Amino acid sequence: AVGTASIGATAYNISSPFDARQQKQRTQFLYKASELTAAGVPSGLISGFALNLQKLSTRSFSNFSIKMGAINTPYLVDGEFLYTTVLTTVKTVASFTTVSGWNNFVFDNVFAWNGTSNIIIELCFDNGTAAAGNAADNIRSYSDGGTASQGNVFWQAGISCSESFS
């Protein structure tokens, strides 16, 4: 089946993964299989996704990439634990400029989803230099029902796509 699905109702703004003040930044977030199936997403090939942004930045994001992976853990952060898995690159762009509203990403390589695992999406950029006078774009996000010690979004400024989170 070919189609689109919208997951979650906007409740929050998060200033990651597009923080144009940073030299480089790596961000991961998780979509639960239950969220995907409730939105009507069937198992199979995923060829893209979109993020709803409030644009505040003025520069492009260089060496931008998107990776995806599957995991059965319901949260990326659960108390003190940080969950990661092997990710596959699905999109690379030399330079990406965000827009206000929906930012659509059509993958270079489709991602095969089994319909039961949760999906991790990683966005990463390396601009070469910091730009302290710039701004971070806000992603419109939603609550996934986790507790104060659980989360499905985490990021770290100052690391590249190949460096480990600390």
mmCIF file of all heavy atoms in Angstrom, residues 113-146:
data_model
loop_
_atom_site.group_PDB
_atom_site.id
_atom_site.type_symbol
_atom_site.label_atom_id
_atom_site.label_comp_id
_atom_site.label_asym_id
_atom_site.label_seq_id
_atom_site.Cartn_x
_atom_site.Cartn_y
_atom_site.Cartn_z
ATOM 1 N N TRP A 113 10.213 -2.343 7.142
ATOM 2 C CA TRP A 113 9.678 -2.460 8.501
ATOM 3 C C TRP A 113 8.866 -3.742 8.612
ATOM 4 O O TRP A 113 7.994 -4.011 7.781
ATOM 5 C CB TRP A 113 8.806 -1.250 8.838
ATOM 6 C CG TRP A 113 8.221 -1.295 10.213
ATOM 7 C CD1 TRP A 113 8.884 -1.550 11.370
ATOM 8 C CD2 TRP A 113 6.861 -1.080 10.565
ATOM 9 N NE1 TRP A 113 8.026 -1.502 12.436
ATOM 10 C CE2 TRP A 113 6.762 -1.223 11.964
ATOM 11 C CE3 TRP A 113 5.709 -0.810 9.850
ATOM 12 C CZ2 TRP A 113 5.570 -1.080 12.657
ATOM 13 C CZ3 TRP A 113 4.516 -0.658 10.540
ATOM 14 C CH2 TRP A 113 4.454 -0.786 11.926
ATOM 15 N N ASN A 114 9.113 -4.522 9.679
ATOM 16 C CA ASN A 114 8.441 -5.808 9.847
ATOM 17 C C ASN A 114 7.030 -5.690 10.425
ATOM 18 O O ASN A 114 6.315 -6.681 10.517
ATOM 19 C CB ASN A 114 9.289 -6.746 10.714
ATOM 20 C CG ASN A 114 9.484 -6.237 12.136
ATOM 21 O OD1 ASN A 114 8.818 -5.310 12.591
ATOM 22 N ND2 ASN A 114 10.428 -6.842 12.838
ATOM 23 N N GLY A 115 6.628 -4.505 10.844
ATOM 24 C CA GLY A 115 5.278 -4.296 11.351
ATOM 25 C C GLY A 115 5.117 -4.541 12.837
ATOM 26 O O GLY A 115 4.059 -4.268 13.395
ATOM 27 N N THR A 116 6.163 -5.054 13.494
ATOM 28 C CA THR A 116 6.064 -5.331 14.931
ATOM 29 C C THR A 116 7.128 -4.628 15.764
ATOM 30 O O THR A 116 6.917 -4.389 16.947
ATOM 31 C CB THR A 116 6.138 -6.848 15.217
ATOM 32 O OG1 THR A 116 7.373 -7.356 14.711
ATOM 33 C CG2 THR A 116 4.979 -7.581 14.552
ATOM 34 N N SER A 117 8.260 -4.322 15.188
ATOM 35 C CA SER A 117 9.334 -3.645 15.926
ATOM 36 C C SER A 117 9.094 -2.143 15.972
ATOM 37 O O SER A 117 8.440 -1.583 15.092
ATOM 38 C CB SER A 117 10.689 -3.894 15.253
ATOM 39 O OG SER A 117 11.017 -5.255 15.284
ATOM 40 N N ASN A 118 9.630 -1.505 16.986
ATOM 41 C CA ASN A 118 9.641 -0.050 17.041
ATOM 42 C C ASN A 118 10.719 0.444 16.085
ATOM 43 O O ASN A 118 11.665 -0.279 15.782
ATOM 44 C CB ASN A 118 9.916 0.431 18.464
ATOM 45 C CG ASN A 118 8.866 -0.064 19.438
ATOM 46 O OD1 ASN A 118 7.691 -0.150 19.099
ATOM 47 N ND2 ASN A 118 9.285 -0.401 20.632
ATOM 48 N N ILE A 119 10.584 1.669 15.627
ATOM 49 C CA ILE A 119 11.534 2.224 14.657
ATOM 50 C C ILE A 119 12.305 3.386 15.280
ATOM 51 O O ILE A 119 11.711 4.302 15.848
ATOM 52 C CB ILE A 119 10.806 2.719 13.393
ATOM 53 C CG1 ILE A 119 10.172 1.551 12.652
ATOM 54 C CG2 ILE A 119 11.771 3.468 12.478
ATOM 55 C CD1 ILE A 119 9.340 1.976 11.453
ATOM 56 N N ILE A 120 13.623 3.325 15.164
ATOM 57 C CA ILE A 120 14.489 4.438 15.564
ATOM 58 C C ILE A 120 14.842 5.217 14.308
ATOM 59 O O ILE A 120 15.208 4.631 13.284
ATOM 60 C CB ILE A 120 15.786 3.944 16.224
ATOM 61 C CG1 ILE A 120 15.487 3.252 17.544
ATOM 62 C CG2 ILE A 120 16.745 5.114 16.445
ATOM 63 C CD1 ILE A 120 16.709 2.679 18.216
ATOM 64 N N ILE A 121 14.744 6.538 14.399
ATOM 65 C CA ILE A 121 15.190 7.417 13.319
ATOM 66 C C ILE A 121 16.270 8.322 13.876
ATOM 67 O O ILE A 121 16.103 8.909 14.952
ATOM 68 C CB ILE A 121 14.028 8.250 12.742
ATOM 69 C CG1 ILE A 121 12.963 7.327 12.138
ATOM 70 C CG2 ILE A 121 14.549 9.236 11.691
ATOM 71 C CD1 ILE A 121 11.771 8.042 11.564
ATOM 72 N N GLU A 122 17.374 8.409 13.167
ATOM 73 C CA GLU A 122 18.475 9.281 13.580
ATOM 74 C C GLU A 122 18.681 10.352 12.525
ATOM 75 O O GLU A 122 18.722 10.057 11.335
ATOM 76 C CB GLU A 122 19.758 8.474 13.745
ATOM 77 C CG GLU A 122 20.955 9.351 14.094
ATOM 78 C CD GLU A 122 22.212 8.547 14.304
ATOM 79 O OE1 GLU A 122 22.288 7.807 15.300
ATOM 80 O OE2 GLU A 122 23.119 8.647 13.439
ATOM 81 N N LEU A 123 18.798 11.607 12.971
ATOM 82 C CA LEU A 123 19.143 12.717 12.103
ATOM 83 C C LEU A 123 20.453 13.301 12.611
ATOM 84 O O LEU A 123 20.644 13.433 13.824
ATOM 85 C CB LEU A 123 18.050 13.789 12.114
ATOM 86 C CG LEU A 123 16.768 13.386 11.395
ATOM 87 C CD1 LEU A 123 15.825 12.700 12.346
ATOM 88 C CD2 LEU A 123 16.119 14.576 10.783
ATOM 89 N N CYS A 124 21.324 13.630 11.689
ATOM 90 C CA CYS A 124 22.645 14.105 12.065
ATOM 91 C C CYS A 124 23.137 15.115 11.030
ATOM 92 O O CYS A 124 22.805 15.013 9.849
ATOM 93 C CB CYS A 124 23.585 12.904 12.118
ATOM 94 S SG CYS A 124 25.195 13.262 12.811
ATOM 95 N N PHE A 125 23.914 16.093 11.506
ATOM 96 C CA PHE A 125 24.536 17.045 10.586
ATOM 97 C C PHE A 125 25.902 17.453 11.129
ATOM 98 O O PHE A 125 26.197 17.292 12.311
ATOM 99 C CB PHE A 125 23.657 18.289 10.367
ATOM 100 C CG PHE A 125 23.497 19.164 11.574
ATOM 101 C CD1 PHE A 125 24.419 20.165 11.868
ATOM 102 C CD2 PHE A 125 22.419 18.998 12.427
ATOM 103 C CE1 PHE A 125 24.265 20.977 12.979
ATOM 104 C CE2 PHE A 125 22.251 19.804 13.536
ATOM 105 C CZ PHE A 125 23.179 20.795 13.818
ATOM 106 N N ASP A 126 26.741 17.977 10.238
ATOM 107 C CA ASP A 126 28.044 18.531 10.612
ATOM 108 C C ASP A 126 28.287 19.748 9.731
ATOM 109 O O ASP A 126 28.611 19.631 8.556
ATOM 110 C CB ASP A 126 29.150 17.503 10.432
ATOM 111 C CG ASP A 126 30.486 17.989 10.971
ATOM 112 O OD1 ASP A 126 30.666 19.216 11.189
ATOM 113 O OD2 ASP A 126 31.377 17.145 11.181
ATOM 114 N N ASN A 127 28.106 20.939 10.321
ATOM 115 C CA ASN A 127 28.259 22.190 9.578
ATOM 116 C C ASN A 127 29.699 22.683 9.511
ATOM 117 O O ASN A 127 29.964 23.689 8.871
ATOM 118 C CB ASN A 127 27.383 23.282 10.200
ATOM 119 C CG ASN A 127 25.931 23.130 9.812
ATOM 120 O OD1 ASN A 127 25.612 22.593 8.762
ATOM 121 N ND2 ASN A 127 25.047 23.602 10.663
ATOM 122 N N GLY A 128 30.616 22.014 10.191
ATOM 123 C CA GLY A 128 32.016 22.428 10.143
ATOM 124 C C GLY A 128 32.362 23.486 11.167
ATOM 125 O O GLY A 128 33.447 23.474 11.732
ATOM 126 N N THR A 129 31.453 24.429 11.413
ATOM 127 C CA THR A 129 31.677 25.485 12.406
ATOM 128 C C THR A 129 30.375 25.751 13.159
ATOM 129 O O THR A 129 29.288 25.487 12.657
ATOM 130 C CB THR A 129 32.120 26.812 11.748
ATOM 131 O OG1 THR A 129 31.087 27.240 10.851
ATOM 132 C CG2 THR A 129 33.433 26.655 10.987
ATOM 133 N N ALA A 130 30.518 26.280 14.348
ATOM 134 C CA ALA A 130 29.357 26.692 15.140
ATOM 135 C C ALA A 130 28.905 28.079 14.662
ATOM 136 O O ALA A 130 29.657 28.794 14.003
ATOM 137 C CB ALA A 130 29.709 26.733 16.612
ATOM 138 N N ALA A 131 27.676 28.455 15.003
ATOM 139 C CA ALA A 131 27.123 29.765 14.650
ATOM 140 C C ALA A 131 26.267 30.246 15.828
ATOM 141 O O ALA A 131 25.042 30.166 15.801
ATOM 142 C CB ALA A 131 26.314 29.693 13.368
ATOM 143 N N ALA A 132 26.925 30.716 16.869
ATOM 144 C CA ALA A 132 26.258 31.064 18.127
ATOM 145 C C ALA A 132 25.108 32.050 17.940
ATOM 146 O O ALA A 132 24.131 32.022 18.688
ATOM 147 C CB ALA A 132 27.273 31.622 19.115
ATOM 148 N N GLY A 133 25.167 32.916 16.946
ATOM 149 C CA GLY A 133 24.120 33.905 16.725
ATOM 150 C C GLY A 133 22.914 33.384 15.964
ATOM 151 O O GLY A 133 21.969 34.132 15.728
ATOM 152 N N ASN A 134 22.930 32.117 15.599
ATOM 153 C CA ASN A 134 21.812 31.548 14.842
ATOM 154 C C ASN A 134 20.727 31.078 15.805
ATOM 155 O O ASN A 134 20.655 31.551 16.936
ATOM 156 C CB ASN A 134 22.301 30.411 13.943
ATOM 157 C CG ASN A 134 21.531 30.330 12.639
ATOM 158 O OD1 ASN A 134 20.317 30.195 12.643
ATOM 159 N ND2 ASN A 134 22.240 30.411 11.528
ATOM 160 N N ALA A 135 19.872 30.152 15.393
ATOM 161 C CA ALA A 135 18.760 29.684 16.228
ATOM 162 C C ALA A 135 18.477 28.221 15.938
ATOM 163 O O ALA A 135 18.953 27.663 14.953
ATOM 164 C CB ALA A 135 17.511 30.523 15.963
ATOM 165 N N ALA A 136 17.682 27.614 16.800
ATOM 166 C CA ALA A 136 17.258 26.231 16.617
ATOM 167 C C ALA A 136 15.820 26.203 16.124
ATOM 168 O O ALA A 136 14.970 26.941 16.619
ATOM 169 C CB ALA A 136 17.369 25.480 17.937
ATOM 170 N N ASP A 137 15.563 25.366 15.129
ATOM 171 C CA ASP A 137 14.193 25.147 14.674
ATOM 172 C C ASP A 137 13.485 24.266 15.701
ATOM 173 O O ASP A 137 14.088 23.358 16.268
ATOM 174 C CB ASP A 137 14.179 24.432 13.322
ATOM 175 C CG ASP A 137 14.841 25.247 12.229
ATOM 176 O OD1 ASP A 137 14.837 26.493 12.317
ATOM 177 O OD2 ASP A 137 15.356 24.634 11.275
ATOM 178 N N ASN A 138 12.210 24.512 15.923
ATOM 179 C CA ASN A 138 11.426 23.693 16.848
ATOM 180 C C ASN A 138 10.671 22.619 16.089
ATOM 181 O O ASN A 138 9.986 22.911 15.111
ATOM 182 C CB ASN A 138 10.416 24.556 17.614
ATOM 183 C CG ASN A 138 11.079 25.438 18.632
ATOM 184 O OD1 ASN A 138 12.044 25.047 19.274
ATOM 185 N ND2 ASN A 138 10.567 26.646 18.779
ATOM 186 N N ILE A 139 10.791 21.380 16.547
ATOM 187 C CA ILE A 139 10.005 20.277 16.001
ATOM 188 C C ILE A 139 8.727 20.186 16.810
ATOM 189 O O ILE A 139 8.743 20.230 18.034
ATOM 190 C CB ILE A 139 10.756 18.941 16.112
ATOM 191 C CG1 ILE A 139 11.932 18.914 15.166
ATOM 192 C CG2 ILE A 139 9.828 17.777 15.794
ATOM 193 C CD1 ILE A 139 12.678 17.620 15.205
ATOM 194 N N ARG A 140 7.620 20.056 16.136
ATOM 195 C CA ARG A 140 6.345 19.827 16.799
ATOM 196 C C ARG A 140 6.308 18.350 17.193
ATOM 197 O O ARG A 140 6.463 17.478 16.350
ATOM 198 C CB ARG A 140 5.194 20.143 15.859
ATOM 199 C CG ARG A 140 5.338 21.485 15.180
ATOM 200 C CD ARG A 140 4.561 22.538 15.902
ATOM 201 N NE ARG A 140 4.461 23.720 15.047
ATOM 202 C CZ ARG A 140 4.800 24.902 15.472
ATOM 203 N NH1 ARG A 140 5.229 25.071 16.682
ATOM 204 N NH2 ARG A 140 4.686 25.946 14.683
ATOM 205 N N SER A 141 6.139 18.070 18.472
ATOM 206 C CA SER A 141 6.174 16.694 18.944
ATOM 207 C C SER A 141 4.971 16.404 19.830
ATOM 208 O O SER A 141 4.125 17.271 20.033
ATOM 209 C CB SER A 141 7.479 16.428 19.688
ATOM 210 O OG SER A 141 7.570 17.266 20.821
ATOM 211 N N TYR A 142 4.908 15.207 20.369
ATOM 212 C CA TYR A 142 3.754 14.762 21.132
ATOM 213 C C TYR A 142 4.214 13.860 22.271
ATOM 214 O O TYR A 142 5.324 13.331 22.261
ATOM 215 C CB TYR A 142 2.779 14.003 20.229
ATOM 216 C CG TYR A 142 3.398 12.775 19.596
ATOM 217 C CD1 TYR A 142 3.275 11.530 20.193
ATOM 218 C CD2 TYR A 142 4.141 12.860 18.429
ATOM 219 C CE1 TYR A 142 3.871 10.407 19.641
ATOM 220 C CE2 TYR A 142 4.727 11.746 17.863
ATOM 221 C CZ TYR A 142 4.588 10.526 18.479
ATOM 222 O OH TYR A 142 5.182 9.423 17.937
ATOM 223 N N SER A 143 3.356 13.654 23.245
ATOM 224 C CA SER A 143 3.635 12.751 24.348
ATOM 225 C C SER A 143 3.311 11.329 23.925
ATOM 226 O O SER A 143 2.284 11.067 23.309
ATOM 227 C CB SER A 143 2.779 13.130 25.559
ATOM 228 O OG SER A 143 2.943 12.155 26.573
ATOM 229 N N ASP A 144 4.211 10.396 24.271
ATOM 230 C CA ASP A 144 3.955 8.990 23.943
ATOM 231 C C ASP A 144 3.528 8.195 25.174
ATOM 232 O O ASP A 144 3.505 6.970 25.142
ATOM 233 C CB ASP A 144 5.165 8.355 23.272
ATOM 234 C CG ASP A 144 6.367 8.269 24.197
ATOM 235 O OD1 ASP A 144 6.265 8.683 25.372
ATOM 236 O OD2 ASP A 144 7.411 7.774 23.756
ATOM 237 N N GLY A 145 3.211 8.884 26.265
ATOM 238 C CA GLY A 145 2.692 8.219 27.453
ATOM 239 C C GLY A 145 3.735 7.731 28.431
ATOM 240 O O GLY A 145 3.396 7.094 29.421
ATOM 241 N N GLY A 146 4.998 8.025 28.192
ATOM 242 C CA GLY A 146 6.053 7.599 29.102
ATOM 243 C C GLY A 146 6.053 8.408 30.393
ATOM 244 O O GLY A 146 5.405 9.442 30.500
#
